Amino acid sequence: MGAFVASDSKTVNSERRLLCVVAHPDDETFGSGSTLIKYAAEGASVFTSCATRGDVGEIADRSDATPETLSAVREQEYYDAGKVMGVKQSILYGFRDSGMAGSPDNDHPNAYIKVPMDEVVAKVVDTIRELKPQVVFTFDEGGGYGHPDHIHASEATKLAYFAAGDPSYEGSTLEPWKPSKLYYHGFPRSMMRKWFAAFAEADPDSDLAKLDPEEMGVPDETLTTELDISAHAETRRKAIEVHQTQYSPLDRMPSPELEADFLNTDFFIRVDPPLADGESGIVETDLFEGLGI
């Protein structure tokens, strides 16, 4: 397998540090929770930062949250799930949830997607400079399934990743820190096709059955990194259960086979450093590969 070799030894220290940047409480658990659990269990310092409090998310039947209490309940779920996963620090920026694409909440003046990109980037830069992670990851550029907050977070994280190590960046007073690797977490489109075909067969009239899997996830050929996370499935289930206000992917999976797809492997696209000429496909099985730590 191809491997990235760190070229700047100043960015490498003896402690592995990982930062996951998301948009809503539950994104960190439902999307890539097992990756966080894996590295925490291996002794890395794992951090998450979350843009919003999930103010306008759904409320599952099993939860006694109300629209008035939802943001406070989801905030606590975020912190509690982080503890289950072994996250060292769960950071919340407190922007307002923008809601699903096309919803009236997109137009709320305080919606996260209305916040100027420079302001959002500055928050993430401060986080990176304070925590000094070697590895940073966030959503793919399409936000997994087109959620506008996910897309906003992805763009802000990429910009912040490069700005954090730039001494000329004027949006932060903290000392520059240059992370070594940036990733997008993504679900392979081939997997999404399989999931949505099963959703449609199980309930042809459901909202999920009406979604186009060709607009979900990422093309398989863009994936560069594959992690075996099967050893952490049960801890991941416990963390998912913490988010009682939300319907999780496990609530919707119609078969044990599809649950295994979701729980046993995480996939990423390495954004920086880019693949070397001639490299393609899966070239890594560790986010810290090549860093010497």
Side-chain angles (χ1 to χ4, degrees), residues 181-235:
K181 302 176 88 173
L182 173 66
Y183 289 92
Y184 295 147
H185 174 261
F187 291 104
R189 190 155 293 159
S190 61
M191 185 182 294
M192 302 298 274
R193 292 188 190 109
K194 184 163 58 172
W195 288 358
F196 281 88
F199 296 150
E201 183 177 354
D203 185 358
D205 297 322
S206 71
D207 291 339
L208 288 174
K210 298 171 185 175
L211 296 175
D212 182 359
E214 299 306 317
E215 297 179 357
M216 305 288 172
V218 297
D220 292 45
E221 62 271 17
T222 65
L223 297 165
T224 64
T225 310
E226 180 177 336
L227 304 186
D228 179 355
I229 50 172
S230 55
H232 307 288
E234 289 312 306
T235 304

Side-chain angles (χ1 to χ4, degrees), residues 19-221:
L19 172 65
C20 167
V21 184
V22 297
H24 312 102
D26 77 42
D27 290 336
E28 80 297 333
T29 305
F30 295 173
S32 54
S34 292
T35 292
L36 304 181
I37 296 164
K38 165 185 164 63
Y39 285 109
E42 292 175 1
S45 290
V46 173
F47 305 94
T48 63
S49 68
C50 181
T52 80
R53 302 174 75 206
D55 316 66
V56 297
E58 63 190 350
I59 302 177
D61 293 341
R62 57 177 170 261
S63 172
D64 58 4
T66 66
E68 293 72 29
T69 66
L70 180 60
S71 60
V73 174
R74 292 193 73 184
E75 179 177 349
Q76 192 60 51
E77 289 175 344
Y78 170 63
Y79 296 137
D80 291 345
K83 292 176 183 177
V84 172
M85 293 186 291
V87 172
K88 186 170 184 178
Q89 185 178 356
S90 300
I91 298 164
L92 191 74
Y93 298 143
F95 294 113
R96 188 184 192 277
D97 186 351
S98 308
M100 297 292 286
S103 72
D105 288 294
N106 294 174
D107 297 320
H108 192 285
N110 296 329
Y112 176 52
I113 57 174
K114 297 288 188 182
V115 179
M117 184 57 70
D118 287 352
E119 183 178 338
V120 180
V121 169
K123 289 275 192 184
V124 184
V125 167
D126 276 347
T127 300
I128 292 173
R129 289 184 171 186
E130 179 181 353
L131 300 178
K132 298 177 171 58
Q134 297 97 352
V135 175
V136 178
F137 75 83
T138 187
F139 306 99
D140 67 83
E141 292 177 295
Y145 56 93
H147 196 297
D149 282 343
H150 293 189
I151 295 170
H152 205 53
S154 177
E155 182 179 357
T157 303
K158 183 176 181 179
L159 292 170
Y161 169 86
F162 290 105
D166 182 357
S168 68
Y169 175 71
E170 298 180 351
S172 173
T173 60
L174 300 178
E175 287 295 314
W177 170 262
K178 183 182 182 302
S180 298
K181 302 176 88 173
L182 173 66
Y183 289 92
Y184 295 147
H185 174 261
F187 291 104
R189 190 155 293 159
S190 61
M191 185 182 294
M192 302 298 274
R193 292 188 190 109
K194 184 163 58 172
W195 288 358
F196 281 88
F199 296 150
E201 183 177 354
D203 185 358
D205 297 322
S206 71
D207 291 339
L208 288 174
K210 298 171 185 175
L211 296 175
D212 182 359
E214 299 306 317
E215 297 179 357
M216 305 288 172
V218 297
D220 292 45
E221 62 271 17

